[in-house]
Amino acid sequence: MNQLQDTQNFLLNLLEKIFGLETIYITDNQGVVLDQISKTQNIQKKEFIFGPLFANLSNQTSKLGFGENQSITTFYKEKIMVQIQLNSIILSLIGDLDLNVGLIDSYIPTFTQAFQHLIETVGEIEKNKKEINL
Amino acid sequence: MLKPKLLTKTLQQTNTDGINGTMLFNSDGSLIASSGDRDKNRTIAAITANIWQTYQKKSNDPLINSDLNVVMINCKEGKVIIKEVCKMFLCVHSGNDVPTGILKEKLISLAKFLEPSLSKIVI
């Protein structure tokens, strides 16, 4: 429970620290939502369509010839979304046009450290799933 | 009318300071003009066209609710950035040492430069 609370606190901290940031989702590689937090919207529904979307596109981007996909940033006319692959989890950050993408990029090692327990847990579950299927 | 040689020459001018390829392609991923490794560009055009379409289709989700402008892909060994211009796509790719901001600004400047000519083409 402490680790869940730590994750929530970290996400809350991010929302406050990064100017322009509005919503954060953490999903696994199948797009299942593990945690979320939002400044502007009351996220009642659990479905986040960009989670599985990124997971599917990551396979395609790996075929570009530039190695594994690390992140995809989509600049819309009114929003910016940064989606980052952190081993077995995907971190999606959505904000307005003031969102500092460079700052988010520089925080990637920090994110990996902060979510290490979640990455390991999800990684273990995925590994067990594969073993069961075999 | 598009002048292919002139268009390719213009795209080539972007290939400086670590930028390895620049291309213009249709929404189905077929190349119109490119500079750099042609085979590599062909693959990048096909894949990035699909990535663009996938994100654009979901742009009416309440979290986003606006049209797509630029897509930036960061891989372990390179970066790719795409922008729509007059219903075609402009794309630039580089190694990892090129700052993302420069890549984006070069792409946007190139798009602005080509837009008046490309807008005269009916697709």
Side-chain angles (χ1 to χ4, degrees), chain B:
Chain B
M1 276 290 280
L2 266 183
K3 292 180 183 173
K5 278 188 183 164
L6 200 56
L7 183 55
T8 305
K9 221 176 177 180
T10 307
L11 298 181
Q12 249 164 18
Q13 287 176 11
T14 314
N15 291 3
T16 58
D17 300 321
I19 291 176
N20 299 326
T22 308
M23 65 205 92
L24 184 70
F25 54 91
N26 282 321
S27 56
D28 61 2
S30 52
L31 275 182
I32 297 170
S34 74
S35 71
D37 184 328
R38 197 170 171 80
D39 287 334
K40 192 176 182 104
N41 286 344
R42 210 176 268 135
T43 307
I44 292 171
I47 294 172
T48 53
N50 185 49
I51 291 171
W52 179 283
Q53 303 293 1
T54 307
Y55 274 110
Q56 178 58 28
K57 272 185 198 157
K58 304 294 181 189
S59 62
N60 57 0
D61 184 88
L63 279 170
I64 302 292
N65 205 25
S66 60
D67 283 333
L68 196 50
N69 190 14
V70 169
V71 175
M72 198 156 67
I73 303 164
N74 227 326
C75 294
K76 269 201 169 138
E77 293 154 30
K79 296 174 187 180
V80 182
I81 186 163
I82 316 120
K83 181 171 173 50
E84 189 178 15
V85 54
C86 305
K87 295 185 181 176
M88 290 172 262
F89 296 98
L90 202 51
C91 174
V92 163
H93 63 88
S94 73
N96 250 340
D97 47 355
V98 179
T100 315
I102 288 185
L103 214 54
K104 190 174 170 228
E105 285 310 309
K106 277 198 166 187
L107 181 76
I108 290 171
S109 302
L110 185 60
K112 270 191 189 147
F113 178 75
L114 290 174
E115 200 176 355
S117 310
L118 294 178
S119 62
K120 292 173 186 164
I121 301 166
V122 177
I123 294 179

Side-chain angles (χ1 to χ4, degrees), chain A:
Chain A
M1 279 309 276
N2 262 342
Q3 284 175 341
L4 283 173
Q5 194 56 50
D6 285 345
T7 304
Q8 269 289 312
N9 288 341
F10 184 80
L11 294 179
L12 205 62
N13 206 16
L14 273 183
L15 268 189
E16 284 164 16
K17 263 192 179 162
I18 301 178
F19 188 76
L21 185 57
E22 294 173 349
T23 305
I24 307 172
Y25 274 91
I26 304 178
T27 55
D28 68 7
N29 284 333
Q30 277 73 50
V32 173
V33 176
L34 304 170
D35 207 346
Q36 75 266 357
I37 196 166
S38 180
K39 216 186 250 183
T40 57
Q41 298 198 30
N42 189 10
I43 306 175
Q44 290 287 351
K45 61 173 191 164
K46 291 288 180 178
E47 196 191 359
F48 175 57
I49 58 167
F50 294 103
L53 192 144
F54 178 88
N56 283 332
L57 291 178
S58 258
N59 283 329
Q60 288 186 42
T61 53
S62 303
K63 292 171 187 161
L64 285 168
F66 298 116
E68 269 177 38
N69 179 38
Q70 290 187 314
S71 68
I72 298 178
T73 304
T74 42
F75 296 85
Y76 292 86
K77 295 265 159 71
E78 288 167 29
K79 296 284 181 191
I80 299 173
M81 177 166 61
V82 184
Q83 294 190 280
I84 305 163
Q85 184 78 57
L86 298 172
N87 295 310
S88 55
I89 66 170
I90 297 162
L91 183 65
S92 301
L93 302 104
I94 302 162
D96 61 26
L97 295 181
D98 288 327
L99 184 65
N100 193 326
V101 175
L103 186 64
I104 291 171
D105 269 350
S106 70
Y107 275 174
I108 290 176
T110 311
F111 295 152
T112 309
Q113 209 178 352
F115 300 124
Q116 194 54 41
H117 69 276
L118 200 54
I119 291 168
E120 283 169 5
T121 308
V122 174
E124 197 62 39
I125 293 169
E126 283 176 2
K127 189 181 157 198
N128 290 338
K129 260 196 218 164
K130 282 181 187 162
E131 282 170 5
I132 290 166
N133 285 336
L134 283 171

